[in-house]
Amino acid sequence: MGKLFYDSTLTVDFDDRVLAHLQIVIGAKLRRGESFYFSWKDDPAVGDGRSTIWLAPNIPLHYKYFGSRLPALNRDWILALSASSNSASGLQIVPEPQQKVGGSSHEDES
């Protein structure tokens, strides 16, 4: 289970595989100077609701992974997450699409 640290005030747990894909999408947007919302469904242990944060290039982020190896990335999932991030409601974790034949394995290597 990886962790996303936001502005030294919030820590959120995500599966390493999910976190790796989020890092790619978030990093691409922030590199372009884009600000946006990021929403996720909370774990039942913290209330089972939804949370939303505002991501901007000037807000510190830190990614901490449980596993030592980067999970294989699914290009189609990155594209789906990127499309979500460009919507009015911002980035949301969408289900991972099946990888097309010829793509790399998407099994977690952590």
Side-chain angles (χ1 to χ4, degrees):
M1 189 63 63
K3 295 184 181 299
L4 172 67
F5 298 90
Y6 172 80
D7 192 29
S8 304
T9 61
L10 177 69
T11 302
V12 186
D13 293 331
F14 292 104
D15 177 81
D16 275 6
R17 181 164 178 67
V18 173
L19 191 60
H21 286 79
L22 290 172
Q23 181 180 344
I24 298 292
V25 173
I26 291 169
K29 290 189 72 73
L30 295 178
R31 259 192 316 275
R32 293 189 299 265
E34 298 176 24
S35 300
F36 57 101
Y37 287 113
F38 170 38
S39 300
W40 62 90
K41 185 173 179 351
D42 293 322
D43 187 273
V46 296
D48 203 24
R50 293 195 57 76
S51 293
T52 300
I53 56 176
W54 179 250
L55 293 172
N58 62 332
I59 298 172
L61 291 176
H62 173 83
Y63 303 87
K64 174 66 176 157
Y65 293 90
F66 178 76
S68 60
R69 291 183 288 179
L70 178 67
L73 297 174
N74 180 336
R75 179 170 163 49
D76 293 333
W77 199 11
I78 292 169
L79 294 173
L81 290 165
S82 293
S84 166
S85 74
N86 292 321
S87 71
S89 57
L91 175 59
Q92 296 187 36
I93 301 172
V94 297
E96 181 175 5
Q98 288 294 321
Q99 192 128 348
K100 293 183 175 80
V101 176
S104 63
S105 166
H106 67 270
E107 291 181 18
D108 191 346
E109 298 176 12
S110 57

